[in-house]
Amino acid sequence: MEVGHEEEIAQLRRLLAYSQALHSGVEVDTLVRLSLEEALSVLPMDRMTIALRESPTSPLRLAGMREGTRVITRSADMVSPFAALEVQVINQGTPVYVADAAEGVRRVDDALIRSIMAAPLKAAAKRAWIFGALVIGSRTPKLYNERDQRVFRDLIGVTAAALSLSFDTARQRRAAAQDALTNAIFAKLQGVDSVETLLTIYIQELGRAFGAESARAALSIDERAVE
């Protein structure tokens, strides 16, 4: 068996292990961390970023970053060295491959990064909106060959599928919680004919749902409606 073929099989096995690791998580933050931790076993890199957005009109936020072997998530101080590239792949909706960032007009904030692969994250559904971008980079110029690009596209597909499922699950949980809150309020309002009691029950249930320590409600009377 040829050495190149053996390496390709080994790389596919690492990709499978990466996929299995991601599907062990449920929450978005957990999946982001798993992706950043496990991706190095699939492709060589010195930097990696995952940027996400909550809706098609929301701005991108840096959800996590890998620097060498260090993984950073949930930090307000994070600044992506690939910010402009992340916006580009979101806008054009296709992967971007940079053989050498030191050549031509392509530049990134991290001057040491030379080879770059970037791609949008989107659900597998037809006409699915793009909810993020994943970028990896290496200090070695012209590192990623065509095989690496194919593996990167597979890695993107696995990551997007796992994150998309997590987003859907979170939306379903929020919808279920909202329905439960609405049902609880209406159940307690049955038979109540006092405005003060209605407001008291309403703000108690809302406060309990949102964890508020106190709440206040005020009524205003439209004098034009009083004859």
Side-chain angles (χ1 to χ4, degrees), residues 2-145:
E2 296 180 1
V3 175
H5 188 53
E6 290 179 347
E7 173 56 27
E8 187 169 4
I9 291 176
Q11 203 167 31
L12 290 174
R13 286 174 177 165
R14 293 193 291 269
L15 181 63
L16 176 60
Y18 172 84
S19 176
Q20 292 171 334
L22 253 64
H23 283 84
S24 67
V26 177
E27 302 297 332
V28 172
D29 290 341
T30 302
L31 288 174
V32 168
R33 175 167 286 278
L34 284 171
S35 177
L36 293 167
E37 290 174 346
E38 300 294 332
L40 183 60
S41 66
V42 181
L43 287 165
M45 67 184 73
D46 295 302
R47 292 286 185 275
M48 176 176 173
T49 63
I50 297 178
L52 302 173
R53 58 180 182 171
E54 296 179 355
S55 73
T57 57
S58 299
L60 278 173
R61 67 174 181 87
L62 184 58
M65 179 167 59
R66 182 187 190 103
E67 295 181 343
T69 58
R70 183 186 177 203
V71 171
I72 308 168
T73 59
R74 289 183 166 226
S75 173
D77 300 329
M78 286 191 301
V79 177
S80 176
F82 307 121
L85 190 58
E86 289 163 350
V87 172
Q88 179 186 341
V89 298
I90 284 283
N91 290 338
Q92 72 182 37
T94 56
V96 173
Y97 305 106
V98 181
D100 190 351
E103 297 178 352
V105 297
R106 176 77 64 183
R107 293 291 184 275
V108 293
D109 289 346
D110 187 341
L112 296 177
I113 295 299
R114 303 285 292 275
S115 299
I116 300 172
M117 293 194 290
L121 295 167
K122 59 183 177 181
K126 202 171 185 180
R127 296 183 179 178
W129 66 284
I130 296 172
F131 60 79
L134 187 152
V135 187
I136 68 171
S138 171
R139 295 175 180 175
T140 305
K142 302 178 181 178
L143 174 65
Y144 302 122
N145 55 31

Side-chain angles (χ1 to χ4, degrees), residues 86-211:
E86 289 163 350
V87 172
Q88 179 186 341
V89 298
I90 284 283
N91 290 338
Q92 72 182 37
T94 56
V96 173
Y97 305 106
V98 181
D100 190 351
E103 297 178 352
V105 297
R106 176 77 64 183
R107 293 291 184 275
V108 293
D109 289 346
D110 187 341
L112 296 177
I113 295 299
R114 303 285 292 275
S115 299
I116 300 172
M117 293 194 290
L121 295 167
K122 59 183 177 181
K126 202 171 185 180
R127 296 183 179 178
W129 66 284
I130 296 172
F131 60 79
L134 187 152
V135 187
I136 68 171
S138 171
R139 295 175 180 175
T140 305
K142 302 178 181 178
L143 174 65
Y144 302 122
N145 55 31
E146 291 184 2
R147 183 182 65 199
D148 293 327
Q149 292 178 14
R150 289 196 302 270
V151 171
F152 179 67
R153 288 193 292 270
D154 290 337
L155 182 142
I156 288 294
V158 168
T159 308
L163 285 170
S164 179
L165 179 61
S166 182
F167 284 138
D168 289 342
T169 301
R171 282 193 291 268
Q172 290 170 2
R173 287 176 179 172
R174 287 195 297 269
Q178 290 170 355
D179 289 342
L181 173 61
T182 301
N183 293 335
I185 292 176
F186 277 110
K188 291 188 176 183
L189 293 181
Q190 294 299 314
V192 177
D193 55 6
S194 166
V195 174
E196 289 78 7
T197 304
L198 286 171
L199 284 176
T200 299
I201 293 174
Y202 189 73
I203 63 176
Q204 282 178 344
E205 292 299 323
L206 285 179
R208 187 177 297 109
F210 292 102

